[in-house]
Amino acid sequence: MNAYQQKWIELLNNAHLQGWKIEAQGEDIFIEMPHVTDLKLVRDNLPATLAAMSLDIEEQKHRLKFIFHNGFEQFEYLLNPGDDDLNKA
């Protein structure tokens, strides 16, 4: 786990999101939310929320995938995509 990934996990855990389980999954961050969580609402607000939280991170930025799961559905959000991510057709 790199320092950037660790810092994100710390920030998310410090947000005290009740019922959310946040852990490293390889180079990614897996977030298990309660099954009643509205994924569309999370997905719609995620860019602004992560942007605000990122102001507290001084570590060097790395490619980081967040995987959100509520027991029924799942979506991914990629932060700091690399060239390989941007060039995929």
Side-chain angles (χ1 to χ4, degrees):
M1 178 179 338
N2 63 55
Y4 186 67
Q5 179 186 24
Q6 180 62 42
K7 184 64 176 179
W8 271 108
I9 290 171
E10 288 174 22
L11 279 175
L12 292 167
N13 280 322
N14 288 337
H16 302 291
L17 300 164
Q18 186 135 9
W20 290 38
K21 182 179 176 186
I22 302 159
E23 62 188 12
Q25 188 176 66
E27 297 294 318
D28 306 327
I29 295 177
F30 184 79
I31 302 168
E32 181 73 34
M33 302 173 289
H35 72 279
V36 296
T37 306
D38 182 347
L39 283 185
K40 182 181 180 335
L41 182 63
V42 172
R43 187 176 23 246
D44 290 349
N45 291 295
L46 191 59
T49 302
L50 292 181
M53 292 178 78
S54 71
L55 298 174
D56 292 331
I57 298 178
E58 296 178 4
E59 284 77 6
Q60 182 179 355
K61 292 178 172 69
H62 293 277
R63 177 191 185 278
L64 186 59
K65 185 190 321 179
F66 295 86
I67 304 165
F68 293 87
H69 185 73
N70 72 352
F72 302 109
E73 301 176 79
Q74 180 169 307
F75 79 92
E76 298 175 353
Y77 185 83
L78 189 57
L79 194 61
N80 307 315
D83 289 338
D84 290 343
D85 299 307
L86 298 173
N87 293 323
K88 286 183 181 176

